[in-house]
Amino acid sequence: MSTICIDNVSRWFGNVVAVNDVSMTVGPGVTGLLGPNGAGKSTLINMMGGFLAPSAGTVTLDGQTIWRNEQIYRHIGIVPEREAMYDFLTGREFVRANAELHGLGDREAQRALATVEMEYAQDRRIDTYSKGMRQRVKMASALVHEPSVLLLDEPFNGMDPRQRMQLMDLLRAMGADGRTVLFSSHILEEVEQLAAHIEVVVAGRHAASGDFRKIRRLMTDRPHRYAVRSSDDRALAAALISDPSTSGIEVDVQEGVLRIQAVDFGRFTELLPRVARAHGIRLLTVSPSDESLESVFSYLVAA
Amino acid sequence: MYNPTVARLTYRGLLGRRRALILFVLPALLLVLSAAVRMLTGADDNTATSVLGGFALATMVPLIGVIAGTGAIGPEIDDGSVVYLLAKPVKRPTIILTKLVVAIGVTVAFSAVPTLIAGFLLNGNSQQIAVAYALAATVASVAYSAIFLLLGTVTRHAVVAGLVYALVWESLFGSLIPGARTLSVQQWSLALAEKTAGAGAVTADVSLPLGLTLLTAATVAATWFAARRLRALTLAGEE
């Protein structure tokens, strides 16, 4: 068993609170750490990886403190987000060096390179690698000692779809193996495809935790806002408000736009064109006004 | 206390970067200068001490020390690749000591050795002047490496800070204000040169026991602090 326990953890940088009183437990299997950019995902991962001390609270792996405990790295593998990685070495030299620092040798390095399918380019210098190749060599360096915990910060950034699929398969296999795999992402679809368990952080707070279906439902069930321009705003407003899928409509005369709040997303998207046609109203523009990830997430915080 | 993998990564990083060029340019300059002086003015002990003392020990050794000392760790911390060293069950003092050994090795190879050769070129080691300055350059290399390695763990602008220290403090203030000399690696190491060379050939501002004590104290303290810094190195996220 390898369980990371984050207990009432806060982290601030000067006056800025990056992580605010977060508690979560990350156990075996694949967990996705989801949140918009700047939500504190990297700060959390850095604390789990022992590269940042919590300002308050504790971060432990099976009861052992992670900060300032270099022996913990026998059990943890880290795939950082940053690109830099001794670019003057070849991929093989780099992974070999990582193996040696764990007291292992060429055999383990070769096995790790094979796992990420990088043997074909292992004798090229790292500065000639594409972003996806770098990512895979980083993976290999984190896997040399077969860690029971793997932490990945935005691992899919810059990968093409095929590389993404490969990495997902690899992480899935590791999770199925009983290892604790935690990766961060700001893209819901990525997390949904890979992680059975999701932790959501927004603005430094722990917003939601659990099964991805539950979180997906929370996200689609939230009230949606639309800005609509049509040939007859008032008539359209009158027709729409009678349906239970809408909860509020404002006729913004100055801007010449209807602001509609829909509570039943599926039903509303079907209703709008039907009502417009029935009343002979032309729809000029229909645009969701709060589809940004931030607003989706902030809804989750309130939920 | 010494890790061969860390050493390999360090010296390849040191010699593989562009600033490594300075490591070759400065000693080459010293050798060319020495050869030219010898050909133009012949062998002369006073000329030898002013070239070795004024250029080699006062300027070249600290500059090479800055490049090697800060370069042994600064770039890795800057670009974040130090994560790969730190996310390993390797003791932090081991990492620092290994990097120190590499930095000393590089500084000695690129400053003390050329100083010795330059001394022989200048006056054929008359009055032991070549050996004296080479010895001084060697002990100075140790102290400079430790100080600049610490600087590399403390600030992102380690090279600039190091250059300011090396050029302004050691060279400029050292020659203008007598008091500043007592607190200068250059003078501490000169004490050793004074003892080694023939009587009156080299003069230092501090006595040999004091010089050696201060050299040792500076080296040990800088190394200890650097290990401490590395142990608590935090990587803030990029967000």
Side-chain angles (χ1 to χ4, degrees):
Chain A
M1 274 292 282
S2 296
T3 304
I4 295 181
C5 222
I6 297 177
D7 198 12
N8 292 105
V9 165
S10 297
R11 172 71 209 199
W12 47 84
F13 299 96
N15 281 334
V16 181
V17 179
V19 168
N20 191 346
D21 197 21
V22 168
S23 295
M24 60 172 81
T25 309
V26 183
V30 182
T31 300
L33 184 61
L34 178 69
N37 287 324
K41 301 190 297 295
S42 290
T43 306
L44 271 172
I45 288 198
N46 278 335
M47 287 192 284
M48 290 187 238
F51 288 105
L52 201 56
S55 305
T58 55
V59 184
T60 53
L61 171 62
D62 291 339
Q64 285 185 289
T65 303
I66 294 177
W67 173 243
R68 285 194 176 185
N69 178 3
E70 67 254 359
Q71 291 307 316
I72 210 87
Y73 296 115
R74 294 188 187 282
H75 313 289
I76 298 182
I78 292 173
V79 182
E81 187 185 4
R82 290 181 76 170
E83 290 283 300
M85 47 190 287
Y86 300 95
D87 289 12
F88 48 85
L89 299 178
T90 66
R92 181 194 214 147
E93 288 169 337
F94 176 72
V95 178
R96 170 89 197 255
N98 276 278
E100 286 174 6
L101 290 167
H102 277 292
L104 305 168
D106 210 26
R107 203 165 49 87
E108 288 83 0
Q110 282 305 321
R111 199 206 52 231
L113 280 161
T115 307
V116 299
E117 294 173 33
M118 272 300 287
E119 286 159 309
Y120 75 100
Q122 65 185 9
D123 291 319
R124 274 168 53 189
R125 274 171 60 115
I126 290 174
D127 50 16
T128 68
Y129 283 179
S130 72
K131 204 161 174 177
M133 292 163 87
R134 278 172 178 270
Q135 201 64 35
R136 279 191 282 162
V137 169
K138 283 198 236 170
M139 265 302 273
S141 79
L143 293 178
V144 279
H145 59 306
E146 304 205 15
S148 54
V149 176
L150 188 64
L151 304 173
L152 309 99
D153 198 356
E154 296 281 352
F156 300 106
N157 265 359
M159 283 198 156
D160 67 37
R162 200 181 56 88
Q163 294 167 340
R164 199 174 292 229
M165 291 257 287
Q166 259 175 2
L167 181 56
M168 283 191 179
D169 286 343
L170 182 58
L171 295 183
R172 245 181 239 120
M174 293 192 66
D177 228 24
R179 298 176 203 270
T180 300
V181 179
L182 178 110
F183 72 100
S184 71
S185 170
H186 58 278
I187 298 166
L188 177 65
E189 282 69 24
E190 254 171 33
V191 177
E192 187 175 326
Q193 278 175 50
L194 183 56
H197 190 89
I198 299 182
E199 303 287 346
V200 185
V201 285
V202 182
R205 288 179 176 278
H206 193 194
S209 167
D211 182 76
F212 84 81
R213 279 181 219 87
K214 182 184 131 200
I215 288 176
R216 185 62 162 170
R217 206 176 312 122
L218 274 172
M219 287 191 169
T220 43
D221 285 358
R222 77 191 199 282
H224 285 60
R225 287 168 207 281
Y226 293 90
V228 175
R229 290 171 206 273
S230 68
S231 55
D232 188 347
D233 284 351
R234 258 175 218 287
L236 184 63
L240 287 175
I241 196 67
S242 62
D243 191 272
S245 68
T246 59
S247 64
I249 300 181
E250 180 196 349
V251 185
D252 189 333
V253 182
Q254 270 181 340
E255 297 278 319
V257 68
L258 272 187
R259 301 191 191 283
I260 303 168
Q261 184 159 338
V263 280
D264 185 337
F265 169 73
R267 184 170 165 152
F268 176 77
T269 48
E270 198 199 316
L271 173 79
L272 181 64
R274 194 154 42 78
V275 166
R277 174 182 291 200
H279 290 77
I281 300 169
R282 280 188 63 190
L283 294 173
L284 304 175
T285 58
V286 177
S287 58
S289 52
D290 62 350
E291 280 301 285
S292 73
L293 201 59
E294 279 70 16
S295 68
V296 175
F297 283 127
S298 56
Y299 167 72
L300 279 182
V301 185
Chain B
M1 291 318 260
Y2 176 83
N3 185 309
T5 309
V6 175
R8 199 173 71 235
L9 289 172
T10 305
Y11 82 70
R12 289 198 58 176
L14 260 178
L15 301 180
R17 286 174 217 265
R18 198 167 298 143
R19 53 169 92 144
L21 273 180
I22 303 178
L23 293 178
F24 292 94
V25 170
L26 282 173
L29 198 66
L30 174 71
L31 294 181
V32 170
L33 185 76
S34 305
V37 166
R38 173 70 184 263
M39 273 194 286
L40 294 174
T41 66
D44 176 64
D45 292 352
N46 280 336
T47 320
T49 42
S50 56
V51 171
L52 294 181
F55 178 67
L57 194 62
T59 311
M60 189 184 80
V61 179
L63 283 181
I64 302 277
V66 169
I67 304 292
T70 63
I73 198 160
E76 278 165 272
I77 293 180
D78 262 5
D79 69 16
S81 55
V82 74
V83 171
Y84 297 98
L85 284 190
L86 296 181
K88 299 290 184 296
V90 178
K91 289 201 170 7
R92 302 313 183 231
T94 303
I95 295 178
I96 286 294
L97 281 175
T98 304
K99 284 182 173 292
L100 179 64
V101 168
V102 174
I104 292 173
V106 169
T107 313
V108 168
F110 286 92
S111 72
V113 173
T115 301
L116 184 67
I117 300 171
F120 273 94
L121 281 177
L122 281 162
N123 71 348
N125 197 25
S126 145
Q127 285 198 295
Q128 292 279 335
I129 286 175
V131 172
Y133 274 102
L135 273 178
T138 304
V139 293
S141 295
V142 174
Y144 282 132
S145 298
I147 291 169
F148 294 131
L149 188 70
L150 169 64
L151 217 52
T153 63
V154 171
T155 165
R156 282 175 168 254
H157 311 290
V159 174
V160 177
L163 285 179
V164 168
Y165 171 78
L167 296 178
V168 178
W169 183 261
E170 293 275 349
S171 301
L172 193 64
F173 281 145
S175 53
L176 294 179
I177 309 161
R181 293 188 191 169
T182 339
L183 287 177
S184 124
V185 173
Q186 187 193 331
Q187 291 298 329
W188 303 341
S189 57
L190 265 178
L192 186 61
E194 185 182 33
K195 205 78 181 172
T196 313
V202 182
T203 49
D205 282 298
V206 292
S207 68
L208 184 60
L210 180 64
L212 288 182
T213 310
L214 288 172
L215 280 171
T216 312
T219 305
V220 171
T223 309
W224 184 78
F225 267 115
R228 230 177 90 106
R229 282 284 306 172
L230 198 64
R231 188 148 187 249
L233 188 78
T234 58
L235 298 176
E238 278 180 300
E239 42 187 33

